[in-house]
Amino acid sequence: MSVESFGGREPRALSLSPRSGERVLPRPASRVLLRTIVIGLTAFLTVVDLFATQAILPTLTRAYGVTPAAMGFAVNASTIGMAVAGLIVSVFSRHIDRRSGILLSLAALSVPTALLALAPDLTTFTLLRVAQGLCMASAFTLTLAYLGDQCSAADAGGAFAAYITGNVASNLVGRLISAAVADHLGLASNFYFFAALNLAGAGLVYFTVQRAAPMEQNGIATPSPYAAWLEHLRNPQLRAAFGIGFCILFAFIGTFTYVNFVLVRAPLSLGPMQLGFVYFVFLPSLATTLLAGWSGHCFGTRPTLWCGLAVAGFGLPLLLPPNLAAALSGMVLILGQIFDRLGWPACVAGIGLSLAAAALLAGRLRMPAGTRPQ
């Protein structure tokens, strides 16, 4: 991102080189490192609310007196807001000042986050989670657009890798923070704390992201969003990629939403803080995210996907025995009504079917003739 920090013209602290064909001078390693940290931290503060609330699902279920499925739907309703915001931003992003959009989205995110502390019922809680999703996806989408606009080809890979790493880190650290704050200070304090993090994200953007003209003002001719959508949907490989993304996210949310309820029940009976420490299972993903990119480049997309899905599938049976070590192993390797009505084994089976569907869809991905593995 850049203010002159995330991308921009004459370098200040972190600037990425512009996309024009002008000569690019080498940048000091310290400035590249600082830029990477800022981009990763911005990503972290953008989506830290998304999955952090899952760490306190059992506590929320007791507080609202509802079923695990109802509470799971309410917490994951943020993904509905994200889907809607992603479509809206894609239509209007060419007319939106990137910096202002990111800044306002993160500042606005603090409002529903703080109001969650006061939500009187599950319906209100659900609507506030949808509002969170709208703000998170707006900031997320505009940030990616900003990086795409402002980074040179040489810088783009490192910038996007830093942003993805920040997202992955938010999965782990956000859950740990949520579990710790809720356990020691209560549910309300937890949401106020995350609202403060949202404002910190807005502050970081204010001081590090440089104002850049919307794409339309840069003289870049682009098709209408509707034409682009239709073109994407006509492409069978892109349709398969969309389906793979859906299946993997389904399996991910199904696992890490409802496994919480298994871990807090007998015989494991973990407490809130112990449940937070369970999410250290995300630590290997910081390395495997980078490994996946390298593997896809060297061996191709399909083999890499199949390998990852096979490892996740191998981990599913380990989630079934009432043994913490086995469950943790299974979580490293890897729905609502199913969990409520048929129990955890049926939920695990549904997750397995989703992974199998993703593997079948991966078979539809093809490389263009004469290209290296993609």
Side-chain angles (χ1 to χ4, degrees):
M1 273 187 136
S2 156
V3 221
E4 312 223 339
S5 304
F6 262 51
R9 332 286 181 213
E10 272 313 297
R12 249 187 202 126
L14 311 173
S15 75
L16 304 176
S17 39
R19 294 192 62 139
S20 62
E22 64 191 53
R23 188 164 171 252
V24 179
L25 297 177
R27 288 177 300 282
S30 60
R31 204 168 75 213
V32 173
L33 177 61
L34 182 58
R35 180 202 67 188
T36 300
I37 292 173
V38 169
I39 293 175
L41 186 57
T42 302
F44 174 89
L45 294 171
T46 298
V47 296
V48 69
D49 299 276
L50 182 57
F51 292 114
T53 312
Q54 286 186 346
I56 55 173
L57 259 171
T59 304
L60 287 168
T61 300
R62 291 192 298 270
Y64 283 93
V66 295
T67 65
M71 198 71 240
F73 175 83
V75 166
N76 292 318
S78 54
T79 57
I80 299 173
M82 296 188 78
V84 173
L87 294 174
I88 293 174
V89 172
S90 70
V91 173
F92 298 106
S93 65
R94 291 180 297 169
H95 311 284
I96 300 173
D97 176 85
R98 308 290 197 228
R99 179 178 182 271
S100 297
I102 300 166
L103 181 59
L104 289 175
S105 296
L106 290 176
L109 177 58
S110 66
V111 176
T113 304
L115 289 177
L116 282 169
L118 307 173
D121 52 51
L122 192 64
T123 300
T124 305
F125 188 98
T126 303
L127 292 175
L128 289 172
R129 284 292 285 174
V130 172
Q132 279 189 307
L134 289 169
C135 297
M136 282 187 282
S138 298
F140 182 90
T141 306
L142 289 171
T143 301
L144 291 179
Y146 183 94
L147 290 174
D149 289 346
Q150 299 299 307
C151 292
S152 67
D155 286 320
F160 285 115
Y163 199 73
I164 293 171
T165 302
N167 290 334
V168 174
S170 71
N171 240 326
L172 166 61
V173 181
R175 293 170 193 262
L176 289 172
I177 293 173
S178 183
V181 175
D183 189 33
H184 290 89
L185 301 177
L187 285 174
S189 297
N190 171 75
F191 292 117
Y192 291 137
F193 182 86
F194 276 88
L197 288 182
N198 301 152
L199 292 175
L204 180 65
V205 169
Y206 179 83
F207 288 108
T208 61
V209 177
Q210 176 182 350
R211 186 178 298 277
M215 187 183 299
E216 191 175 59
Q217 299 176 21
N218 288 332
I220 301 175
T222 57
S224 73
Y226 307 104
W229 292 349
L230 290 175
E231 184 180 353
H232 293 332
L233 292 174
R234 289 190 191 105
N235 187 321
Q237 293 193 64
L238 282 178
R239 291 200 303 270
F242 299 154
I244 291 169
F246 175 88
C247 291
I248 291 175
L249 187 60
F250 179 91
F252 179 85
I253 291 178
T255 300
F256 290 99
T257 295
Y258 298 104
V259 74
N260 294 283
F261 298 101
V262 176
L263 295 174
V264 299
R265 293 174 179 173
L268 299 177
S269 304
L270 299 187
M273 196 62 242
Q274 292 173 309
L275 187 62
F277 285 125
V278 163
Y279 290 107
F280 274 109
V281 296
F282 282 107
L283 203 55
S285 66
L286 296 176
T288 57
T289 299
L290 300 175
L291 179 62
W294 172 83
S295 177
H297 177 75
C298 294
F299 304 109
T301 301
R302 284 185 297 171
T304 300
L305 273 171
W306 281 332
C307 182
L309 292 168
V311 172
F314 177 78
L316 286 178
L318 299 177
L319 296 175
L320 295 174
N323 179 280
L324 183 59
L328 293 179
S329 300
M331 290 167 71
V332 168
L333 297 176
I334 311 251
L335 272 283
Q337 290 298 319
I338 294 176
F339 179 81
D340 271 355
R341 298 176 185 276
L342 301 178
W344 180 236
C347 194
V348 171
I351 294 165
L353 289 175
S354 179
L355 294 175
L360 291 174
L361 288 170
R364 298 186 179 184
L365 301 179
R366 297 286 186 274
M367 290 187 303
T371 61
R372 295 183 61 188
Q374 298 282 333

